[in-house]
Amino acid sequence: MTLLPKFHRILERPLMEFRPFGKDLQGVTIQNVSGITVRANLEYLETLVTCKSGPEAAQAALEKLVGLLNKRIPDRTYHVTVDFLKNPWNSYSYEFVMFLTEFSIQLSEQSDYHFNLGREKLLSPLVQILGRPFSIVQIYRLFPYFAEKFTKGSLKPEVLSVTNGHAVIRLQFTESVLSQFGPYLRGCAERICHTSKASLAQIPASMFGQQPATIQDTCCIAEGDPYCEWTFTWNPQSSPLWVWIFGGATLSLVMLGLTMTIAPHYPWWGHAGLTLLPLLIFPLTGRIWTDRKELQERGNIIQEQLASAEQQHEELRKAYLQQEHSLIEVRRHIDELTMLYELTLQISSTLDQERIIQVGLQAIVRSLRYDHAWIALWNEKHQQFAKIHMHGGPHPWPSDLQDLTIPATPHDLLYTTLNNPQPTIIKDVQQILENAHPATHRLLTEGQLSNGIALALVSQNQPLGVLVAGNPQGQSLTVPEQNLLSTVSKQLAIALDTALAYEEIEALNIGLETKVQKRTMELQQANQELETANTRLKELDRMKSQFLSHCSHELRTPLTSIKGFTENMLHGLVGPIAERQHLYLTRISANANRLTRMIGDLLDLSRIEAGTIRLAQQFVSLPTLLEDITQELMHLTQTKNQELMTETTGEALTIWGDPDRLHQIVTNLVHNAHKFTPDHGRILVTASPEPPNHILLSIADSGPGIPQEALPHLFQAFYQAHRRPEIGTEGLGLGLSIVKQLVELHGATITVESTVGVGTTFHIRFPKIASPATSALI
């Protein structure tokens, strides 16, 4: 790898290539740089901007710093906040810290920001407390220990020599840090070198009240050397030994005078021995006494400080790192569920194959960790892949790739994946290219795929195509990422199958109409007397075809998405769920099954006018029914921030009817209210007894209202009082007609009241009957 000159900063890298915190791709906890260092950076930047422009500007600068960092973090799970960065118990990658340093330099508008930061902030209070019992020489010797506490194996410091007033220290980076810096090693090393040597030079000043040490650069990685090396010089610390020497000399003189006075005839060597004895014993005793006292004090302080600080530091660090990792996983799951929910809403709202595929590919590239994705649709009749759809990639895809056809080829990636229920993990792309069809070879080469995954799109055991997603880098896929993409592929397969089924139904309807028209013309030519009957028959047949087509679109499309998504969550494909969540998901599944039964009964609706429809009647609690419907439709109304409310009286409101048909009646009316009610509107469903022998059910909305001239025609088939595509009224106008006929089958009546600009209210009056408990008593 070619190293760039030091003036090339890491900000030239468009996105961070390593996770900023938590755990790396190998599951190892990231702790290159302590959160104390990052917090000191933010506090120093805040202090500078506050002194220059005030506290509000300082807070704005911190928010801007966070925004700049989040733009360079590709995974939203790892986006940060100001409070998060100020937490001292976090740990970060060195790549992230270098991005933060460069952005801080830009915001502070100080070219020597990193040097001043090291001089004023990076010598933390914890280091000052732990180092206070030591001398300057001892603290410099302990530099590797303190560096390890705050960088956890990221730096390799070495103390070459230390004397009283002089120290030589060397610094190198570990392989993991070198890989994070990549070609920007020299620029990053310059920042780290300036900050580190500024902190070391500040030791005499911050801890002993002396002048800062002077710095002499010997070697620097930024200049192409293999390591950074500095020489520090400071004023030597004086020793109190001279006091003892002075005391010994004084005592020696006193003893000399006494011996000369008391024993003047004593030999000279005796006087000299007695005189020198205090001069030797006094300093030695003082040195021993001072060293012993100092060692005892330092030993006690060191033991207490190290035991307490290290225990608390390690316990809090481990606990917080575990909590941080759990938070990241929760945020990841939330993002995955949100992405799946948004994707399902988009692909279930259309029957256009092109739109479904495009939305799916965009979601895979935007929300998942893939550089590009493409889909090849399978043509069962011709036994070949066609209609290639691509998105993403390092370069634009050639337009002719969309028209490629790839026949079924043994050992080809696409054909092998199509017949394999398990995903195909692409680790060695060269081996796949050797066995690939030329068209497949070209697709893989154009996308510069290095590794990735291929999945079959299968719905109801019918192969629809193959989805391929990959990256040009050599990043392996994790099991959760594979499972998430598998879930996305299943949703796409369901949506594509629904769109294909709808196209088939439309084609059958068109063919059926053509045949009916041809037969009708033949009958008209054969017998004019049957012209009126034949015309009526043709109209009824057309209405039936349109009705069946409409129901297939309105019911089958959301049903298949809901069932597939719910089953995936119940089976745990997106992670474990709580008991209450399981209960709600089970209710959703039950309602989906009820709609399945209703689809089977759709053909019975065509016999409503003939009076041959059958109702499975039983006692139905109206409050319970309304509560279930409210829970089911709450998410729908929330899409427009509407308020959906249900009000019932305290007494039992029981009616005799078919639960599914009653559910259909109320759901249709609430759907209708939701469709015409604007954002932040209100929908109210009320149920109450109406003297003398009825139960009144009302559905009121705050929509635009219905003109009076349209009210008499409101329940006619195909009639629409409003035709406004922007609010989704492109249906066939059968809803209210079906509701009216179902209401009358239950022996009830339906009326409507509406005021333009105020809203509309539908009233349904059911016959009041005795509840099951009352009937049993009777």
Side-chain angles (χ1 to χ4, degrees):
M1 178 178 59
T2 302
L3 298 180
L4 298 173
K6 63 182 181 180
F7 55 82
H8 286 274
R9 303 302 178 185
I10 200 169
L11 292 184
E12 295 177 6
R13 183 179 289 172
L15 295 174
M16 297 184 194
E17 297 179 356
F18 296 83
R19 291 180 176 177
F21 51 85
K23 292 187 177 181
D24 59 20
L25 295 177
Q26 287 72 40
V28 179
T29 301
I30 298 172
Q31 45 186 348
N32 295 147
V33 182
S34 169
I36 296 176
T37 303
V38 173
R39 183 180 67 174
N41 198 317
L42 263 71
E43 290 176 349
Y44 184 62
L45 177 62
E46 187 176 13
T47 300
L48 288 178
V49 181
T50 300
C51 295
K52 182 178 180 180
S53 305
E56 295 183 359
Q59 185 62 32
L62 294 183
E63 293 293 342
K64 185 176 181 179
L65 173 63
V66 168
L68 293 172
L69 289 171
N70 289 336
K71 288 181 180 179
R72 298 299 183 97
I73 300 175
D75 191 344
R76 292 191 306 168
T77 306
Y78 294 93
H79 283 187
V80 297
T81 62
V82 174
D83 292 336
F84 182 86
L85 294 178
K86 284 187 175 181
N87 192 322
W89 299 109
N90 289 334
S91 293
Y92 304 90
S93 68
Y94 240 124
E95 180 195 41
F96 175 83
V97 173
M98 294 314 302
F99 270 87
L100 184 144
T101 300
E102 296 295 340
F103 285 133
S104 299
I105 293 173
Q106 292 181 359
L107 294 174
S108 67
E109 299 179 353
Q110 286 188 354
S111 58
D112 57 348
Y113 171 89
H114 47 297
F115 185 88
N116 296 333
L117 170 66
R119 183 179 60 187
E120 299 184 18
K121 278 291 184 179
L122 291 190
L123 198 62
S124 70
L126 179 61
V127 173
Q128 297 182 36
I129 292 174
L130 293 176
R132 189 167 291 122
F134 301 96
S135 65
I136 298 178
V137 172
Q138 291 171 322
I139 291 177
Y140 275 108
R141 288 174 178 167
L142 289 173
F143 170 64
Y145 169 80
F146 291 116
E148 174 64 19
K149 297 296 293 183
F150 293 98
T151 59
K152 289 296 180 182
S154 300
L155 302 178
K156 294 190 292 186
E158 183 180 359
V159 179
L160 300 182
S161 66
V162 179
T163 60
N164 191 11
H166 183 84
V168 180
I169 295 177
R170 179 179 295 172
L171 184 67
Q172 293 177 279
F173 300 125
T174 61
E175 291 298 326
S176 63
V177 174
L178 293 176
S179 64
Q180 293 181 42
F181 291 164
Y184 305 98
L185 170 62
R186 292 176 179 173
C188 295
E190 184 186 31
R191 302 300 194 196
I192 297 174
C193 176
H194 280 63
T195 304
S196 300
K197 68 184 181 183
S199 301
L200 290 170
Q202 195 66 19
I203 290 176
S206 298
M207 302 178 64
F208 298 93
Q210 297 187 14
Q211 291 295 320
T214 59
I215 308 169
Q216 180 181 356
D217 292 328
T218 306
C219 299
C220 187
I221 298 175
E223 303 299 334
D225 297 315
Y227 49 80
C228 294
E229 186 176 301
W230 317 292
T231 299
F232 300 93
T233 305
W234 66 93
N235 294 326
Q237 290 180 294
S238 61
S239 172
L241 183 60
W242 64 271
V243 178
W244 294 94
I245 295 175
F246 178 79
T250 303
L251 183 60
S252 296
L253 293 175
V254 171
M255 290 187 65
L256 179 62
L258 290 175
T259 56
M260 294 293 291
T261 303
I262 297 173
H265 301 290
Y266 198 71
W268 67 268
W269 51 267
H271 290 291
L274 292 174
T275 302
L276 293 175
L277 186 62
L279 187 61
L280 297 175
I281 295 177
F282 221 78
L284 181 61
T285 303
R287 179 61 180 268
I288 295 173
W289 181 82
T290 302
D291 289 348
R292 182 178 180 182
K293 182 178 180 181
E294 184 177 349
L295 288 174
Q296 289 177 348
E297 291 178 353
R298 290 183 178 180
N300 294 334
I301 293 173
I302 291 171
Q303 292 299 324
E304 293 176 359
Q305 291 180 343
L306 289 180
S308 175
E310 289 186 358
Q311 181 180 2
Q312 294 181 9
H313 184 271
E314 292 302 323
E315 289 178 356
L316 290 174
R317 188 182 187 87
K318 291 179 181 179
Y320 189 82
L321 288 176
Q322 183 62 35
Q323 180 183 0
E324 182 184 72
H325 178 65
S326 300
L327 176 61
I328 291 173
E329 291 301 318
V330 170
R331 290 165 64 181
R332 182 184 298 279
H333 286 311
I334 291 175
D335 286 343
E336 291 175 355
L337 290 174
T338 302
M339 186 274 291
L340 288 174
Y341 175 74
E342 293 175 351
L343 174 62
T344 303
L345 285 180
Q346 292 186 61
I347 64 179
S348 63
S349 63
T350 180
L351 291 172
D352 183 1
Q353 287 189 58
E354 298 283 341
R355 175 62 178 165
I356 292 172
I357 293 175
Q358 191 65 23
V359 169
L361 294 178
Q362 289 175 357
I364 292 172
V365 174
R366 181 183 66 251
S367 302
L368 305 182
R369 197 167 57 89
Y370 297 99
D371 175 75
H372 66 276
W374 50 274
I375 288 177
L377 296 181
W378 173 249
N379 189 316
E380 184 71 24
K381 180 179 179 181
H382 296 91
Q383 289 290 296
Q384 66 180 16
F385 293 93
K387 296 183 179 179
I388 313 298
H389 301 267
M390 301 82 65
H391 184 74
H395 306 290
W397 297 79
S399 58
D400 63 322
L401 291 179
Q402 301 178 2
D403 302 323
L404 288 179
T405 58
I406 307 173
T409 305
H411 308 298
D412 180 73
L413 172 66
L414 298 183
Y415 191 73
T416 303
T417 303
L418 187 70
N419 296 283
N420 187 2
Q422 300 299 325
T424 300
I425 306 301
I426 304 173
K427 295 183 179 179
D428 186 3
V429 71
Q430 293 300 326
Q431 183 179 358
I432 293 177
L433 291 175
E434 292 175 0
N435 300 319
H437 185 274
T440 306
H441 187 285
R442 185 183 175 194
L443 284 169
L444 296 174
T445 305
E446 289 288 349
Q448 299 183 8
L449 185 142
S450 175
N451 65 75
I453 184 173
L455 307 97
L457 300 177
V458 179
S459 179
Q460 300 181 6
N461 297 324
Q462 294 296 322
L464 303 176
V466 172
L467 166 64
V468 179
N471 285 309
Q473 300 86 8
Q475 300 175 348
S476 59
L477 303 176
T478 63
V479 174
E481 290 172 340
Q482 297 174 18
N483 293 336
L484 180 60
L485 186 60
S486 179
T487 301
V488 172
S489 68
K490 291 178 181 178
Q491 296 298 313
L492 288 176
I494 292 173
L496 288 174
D497 186 44
T498 302
L500 290 172
Y502 181 78
E503 289 181 0
E504 293 176 359
I505 292 175
E506 286 293 313
L508 290 174
N509 287 339
I510 294 174
L512 181 60
E513 289 183 1
T514 301
K515 293 179 181 179
V516 169
Q517 291 176 0
K518 182 178 179 180
R519 184 58 178 167
T520 301
M521 292 177 63
E522 293 174 355
L523 292 175
Q524 286 176 345
Q525 294 174 2
N527 192 348
Q528 290 296 329
E529 296 179 353
L530 298 177
E531 181 179 0
T532 302
N534 288 337
T535 302
R536 177 59 178 167
L537 183 61
K538 176 183 175 182
E539 180 65 15
L540 290 176
D541 193 70
R542 187 182 65 82
M543 292 173 60
K544 179 187 70 175
S545 299
Q546 292 180 340
F547 175 75
L548 292 177
S549 175
H550 176 72
C551 289
S552 297
H553 171 62
E554 292 295 321
L555 295 179
R556 186 175 180 184
T557 299
L559 174 60
T560 52
S561 297
I562 292 172
K563 288 183 66 178
F565 190 73
T566 305
E567 288 173 1
N568 287 339
M569 296 184 72
L570 285 172
H571 292 162
L573 293 182
V574 294
I577 57 177
E579 180 179 356
R580 191 169 186 85
Q581 293 172 330
H582 190 278
L583 176 62
Y584 286 162
L585 291 173
T586 304
R587 178 177 292 180
I588 293 173
S589 180
N591 289 330
N593 290 331
R594 178 167 59 186
L595 286 178
T596 302
R597 294 193 301 270
M598 291 181 64
I599 291 178
D601 294 336
L602 279 176
L603 293 177
D604 291 339
L605 294 178
S606 63
R607 297 194 292 269
I608 288 179
E609 292 184 352
T612 58
I613 189 67
R614 296 179 181 179
L615 300 179
Q617 292 184 305
Q618 62 185 53
F619 289 104
V620 179
S621 172
L622 199 54
T624 301
L625 178 67
L626 297 181
E627 180 65 21
D628 291 342
I629 295 174
T630 302
Q631 292 294 329
E632 294 170 10
L633 298 182
M634 188 64 69
H635 73 280
L636 178 65
T637 58
Q638 288 176 351
T639 59
K640 296 174 66 175
N641 295 318
Q642 295 171 341
E643 183 181 15
L644 176 60
M645 298 181 60
T646 302
E647 295 180 359
T648 58
T649 60
E651 61 181 277
L653 298 175
T654 303
I655 59 178
W656 179 255
D658 186 332
D660 288 340
R661 301 303 183 186
L662 293 172
H663 187 281
Q664 181 182 0
I665 291 171
V666 180
T667 301
N668 282 354
L669 291 175
V670 174
H671 264 292
N672 207 49
H674 162 73
K675 184 162 52 177
F676 290 99
T677 301
D679 291 355
H680 305 287
R682 185 169 182 264
I683 302 172
L684 177 62
V685 182
T686 60
S688 61
E690 183 181 60
N693 296 312
H694 288 87
I695 293 177
L696 178 63
L697 174 64
S698 301
I699 295 92
D701 62 60
S702 58
I706 303 173
Q708 292 297 318
E709 62 271 19
L711 293 179
H713 311 287
L714 198 60
F715 296 102
Q716 295 178 4
F718 304 106
Y719 180 80
Q720 290 182 325
H722 297 281
R723 292 187 179 273
R724 296 167 60 187
E726 69 275 7
I727 60 173
T729 59
E730 65 275 9
L732 298 177
L734 290 174
L736 293 178
S737 176
I738 295 174
V739 166
K740 182 176 185 297
Q741 295 180 72
L742 290 177
V743 166
E744 292 175 350
L745 286 174
H746 285 81
T749 60
I750 182 169
T751 58
V752 59
E753 298 177 356
S754 183
T755 303
V756 175
V758 177
T760 303
T761 303
F762 289 88
H763 299 290
I764 303 176
R765 291 173 174 82
F766 293 99
K768 187 175 184 181
I769 62 172
S771 66
T774 306
S775 301
L777 292 175
I778 295 175

